[in-house]
Amino acid sequence: MANKSKFQAIRGTRDLLPPETALWNHVEETAHAVFDTFGFSEIRPPIFEPTELLARAVGGETDIVSKEMYTFEDRAGGLPDPGEMSPDGFLNEIRRAMNSGQLANDAAVIAQLEFQLENYNLRSDSERARLIWMYFVRGLRLGDSISLRPEATASVCRAYIEHNMQQLPQPVKLYYMGPMFRRERPQKGRYRQFYQIGAEVLGGGDAPAIDAEVIEMVMTFFDRVGLSGIELDINSIGHNAPDCRPAYVEKLKAALEKAKDKLGADSQRRIETNPLRVLDSKLEHEQPIIATLPRIADHLCAECAAHYASVKRQLELRGVFFKENWRLVRGLDYYMRTTFEVTAKGLGSQNAVCGGGRYDGLVELLGGLPTKGIGFAIGEDRLILSLQESGKGAAPHGRDVYIAWMGERAYATAVRAAKDLRNAGFSVELPPTESKFGKALERADKLGSRYALILGDNEVSEGSWTLKTLADGTQRKFTEPELLEFLTSVKVSGERL
Ligand code: AMP
């Protein structure tokens, strides 16, 4: 225990540290720049949302909502403490808090409290009655249920409705980046706090060009950050009308029933609950069976088939390479037509770096007007991992100039020089205390500095400053203006200082 730090980051979370954070910043800056060129603007929704919103948007039956959300009750502060008053006193306080608006008016809560008091004789003074009362009251839901967001599409759609964005010129094109939270089993590329960069196009139409442009934007971004060897898979999952996806799902179910004995337990269960998800299975022994199943592309209605064909043509027009993957599906009703996924190398089983698709029913499901929608989310953690695996990790952040100073007069000059150099955009290390030049140069080297500016009282009085190139030990003398000019010329000439 002795040497072990007492506190550690919570399982599934981690500190992003330098120099890696430089790579994160580079990725995020590239996203801002690329998305801007496609006419997208940034939205920053809150990290927590009403549980109800997320349950509805992500789907109450999904693993994300049923098992993986960080949900808690947001009790208002200043509520009465049941341990400090009689049960009747507490009940009165709750009534008062509801009347004053401090608590949401909830007749069911009052009814439950009255029921407990009447039926279990909890007004008695006995210790047992007190314990039962406390147990019951503590478990009472007196606040709103809120959850850390497991994704951000729900938030963006809520914001679109809340801020009447349907009155803006359509479509509204928004992007976001930030942490998401899912209580998943941590492994490489899978965390409980992870980061997504995503975008949504809301409103307007569902022209195939919109789908194609969103995909083009994702691929442009990956190209710009230098992620190579990735694969784009696309598919169409039709829409939720009798002559389209539901008819296909019936055929799929029938085929799965026939092969049921050869499937694993999970897939057997999914035949009833969510047959499309069987197509996601990675189990080796199920692959030959899955290969024989009916494919949705052969069962799309005429409009969905035409839409899909057009999306593919539009992608070709944009020079975006893709692979059709009929097994790429989404389990929720409001997902429709285009789905896509990007996978990267070097990530093992968690190799999806981006998932996206069309969700025309979602805004309406959340209480808005019928609104078309399509979007994607990039897994930033995995993107960074993949960049690092391919040798594109960030270099440690060195300094341009380390100011080695000695003497009081030299210090005043050093402070001014640091200010001027920093204003000119150079990264400068100004040691807070004096040290011998030998020591200072050692430290400059350790920090990865390119140059050391040597300022002793002699240099200051002569007005001639010594600049040492640490890589080869060469030295040159400059006047103050010459120095700035020299450093700027090195930077301008394209060399990274
Ligand atoms: P989803 O919102 O589930 O469609 O996920 C979109 C992308 O987010 C995935 O392709 C992953 O790259 C990333 N992602 C999802 N869950 C996690 C997680 N627990 N840890 C790291 N990345 C994740």
Side-chain angles (χ1 to χ4, degrees):
M1 235 9 232
N3 279 331
K4 212 162 167 214
S5 138
K6 195 164 177 189
F7 296 110
Q8 291 184 341
I10 289 172
R11 192 168 131 82
T13 74
R14 62 213 173 109
D15 300 304
L16 304 173
L17 302 170
E20 195 185 298
T21 37
L23 186 55
W24 284 77
N25 280 323
H26 168 66
V27 162
E28 287 165 14
E29 278 155 21
T30 308
H32 287 295
V34 171
F35 296 175
D36 179 66
T37 64
F38 282 80
F40 281 69
S41 317
E42 189 185 6
I43 177 171
R44 299 191 186 193
I47 302 281
F48 48 84
E49 292 277 3
T51 303
E52 177 62 26
L53 167 76
L54 299 163
R56 242 204 257 182
V58 183
E61 305 300 310
T62 58
D63 284 356
I64 295 181
V65 169
S66 64
K67 297 196 280 212
E68 297 170 359
M69 278 209 305
Y70 288 95
T71 297
F72 48 99
E73 190 190 334
D74 188 21
R75 278 194 188 201
L79 281 179
D81 178 352
E84 288 186 354
M85 58 189 79
S86 69
D88 285 303
F90 181 73
L91 188 54
N92 282 336
E93 283 299 306
I94 293 293
R95 280 203 186 94
R96 192 196 49 71
M98 284 185 182
N99 286 338
S100 71
Q102 188 188 358
L103 269 183
N105 229 324
D106 190 341
V109 167
I110 300 292
Q112 275 187 62
L113 284 168
E114 284 173 343
F115 180 85
Q116 294 289 325
L117 284 176
E118 297 310 324
N119 286 273
Y120 297 104
N121 195 22
L122 298 182
R123 288 191 178 89
S124 87
D125 275 344
S126 78
E127 181 60 12
R128 186 168 170 277
R130 201 186 67 82
L131 282 177
I132 294 175
W133 171 247
M134 293 301 284
Y135 179 78
F136 169 68
V137 169
R138 292 249 154 86
L140 203 62
R141 244 199 65 192
L142 289 175
D144 301 319
S145 175
I146 62 180
S147 298
L148 299 184
R149 62 183 188 190
E151 53 106 70
T153 303
S155 307
V156 176
C157 291
R158 178 201 40 71
Y160 179 86
I161 300 166
E162 187 173 335
H163 304 289
N164 281 322
M165 290 191 215
Q166 67 277 0
Q167 286 172 5
L168 301 172
Q170 304 292 301
V172 172
K173 304 198 277 189
L174 298 169
Y175 73 92
Y176 59 85
M177 50 185 78
M180 308 293 157
F181 306 86
R182 297 181 194 172
R183 195 191 278 106
E184 294 194 270
R185 197 172 51 77
Q187 64 183 86
K188 180 180 173 191
R190 205 206 264 159
Y191 310 99
R192 289 180 168 182
Q193 173 171 338
F194 61 100
Y195 295 78
Q196 285 187 339
I197 300 176
E200 320 287 348
V201 180
L202 293 166
D206 59 357
I210 296 183
D211 306 42
E213 197 181 72
V214 165
I215 296 173
E216 181 189 6
M217 181 168 91
V218 172
M219 299 312 278
T220 305
F221 164 71
F222 282 140
D223 184 49
R224 204 66 62 79
V225 290
L227 188 69
S228 49
I230 50 175
E231 182 182 300
L232 165 68
D233 284 15
I234 65 164
N235 191 23
S236 173
I237 54 168
H239 77 304
N240 193 23
D243 61 338
C244 200
R245 186 165 66 227
Y248 165 72
V249 171
E250 282 314 309
K251 291 199 179 75
L252 179 66
K253 251 185 178 171
L256 286 169
E257 281 295 346
K258 275 196 204 141
K260 190 167 181 176
D261 299 344
K262 295 183 209 126
L263 295 171
D266 278 347
S267 293
Q268 288 195 4
R269 199 164 14 85
R270 286 182 180 140
I271 298 178
E272 279 313 313
T273 56
N274 200 342
L276 284 171
R277 283 216 43 209
V278 177
L279 303 181
D280 283 342
S281 161
K282 301 223 161 59
L283 291 181
E284 202 65 51
H285 78 275
E286 292 184 342
Q287 303 308 312
I289 303 153
I290 292 172
T292 66
L293 293 171
R295 302 179 172 208
I296 193 160
D298 303 328
H299 298 88
L300 295 176
C301 69
E303 290 100 272
C304 285
H307 190 272
Y308 187 36
S310 182
V311 169
K312 287 187 279 185
R313 264 198 315 277
Q314 291 270 352
L315 285 173
E316 278 155 15
L317 190 67
R318 290 165 162 78
V320 176
F321 294 105
F322 58 87
K323 215 180 95 195
E324 285 184 75
N325 177 357
W326 67 277
R327 289 173 58 174
L328 191 63
V329 290
R330 293 269 186 275
L332 299 174
D333 281 352
Y334 60 76
Y335 277 112
M336 57 184 289
R337 295 189 169 166
T338 311
T339 57
F340 58 99
E341 185 173 87
V342 180
T343 49
K345 285 191 209 146
L347 293 175
S349 64
Q350 306 300 314
N351 65 350
V353 285
C354 173
R358 182 164 277 291
Y359 50 79
D360 292 348
L362 181 55
V363 171
E364 201 177 352
L365 184 73
L366 299 179
L369 299 169
T371 305
K372 307 284 182 197
I374 181 168
F376 64 82
I378 292 165
E380 194 177 356
D381 309 71
R382 293 185 195 173
L383 165 57
I384 301 271
L385 268 175
S386 187
L387 287 172
Q388 288 168 331
E389 304 266 328
S390 62
K392 301 215 171 73
H397 173 70
R399 311 288 190 276
D400 294 329
V401 181
Y402 187 101
I403 305 184
W405 60 271
M406 258 188 92
E408 208 137 297
R409 276 185 58 212
Y411 181 61
T413 307
V415 168
R416 191 168 44 75
K419 190 185 283 261
D420 290 346
L421 289 171
R422 284 172 178 152
N423 283 341
F426 298 101
S427 151
V428 176
E429 187 71 19
L430 176 67
T433 52
E434 188 175 61
S435 62
K436 299 247 162 59
F437 286 128
K439 273 258 172 313
L441 291 176
E442 236 172 66
R443 189 159 173 267
D445 208 35
K446 275 198 190 132
L447 287 175
S449 316
R450 174 102 185 254
Y451 297 105
L453 176 61
I454 298 172
L455 286 180
D457 286 341
N458 280 349
E459 277 83 357
V460 172
S461 44
E462 283 165 20
S464 163
W465 299 0
T466 304
L467 190 71
K468 189 179 175 94
T469 307
L470 288 164
D472 57 14
T474 54
Q475 294 193 172
R476 282 173 71 178
K477 291 205 173 254
F478 293 100
T479 63
E480 190 175 348
E482 279 171 359
L483 176 80
L484 201 60
E485 206 174 299
F486 169 75
L487 289 174
T488 308
S489 75
V490 185
K491 201 157 203 167
V492 170
S493 73
E495 253 184 285
R496 196 191 157 269
L497 265 190

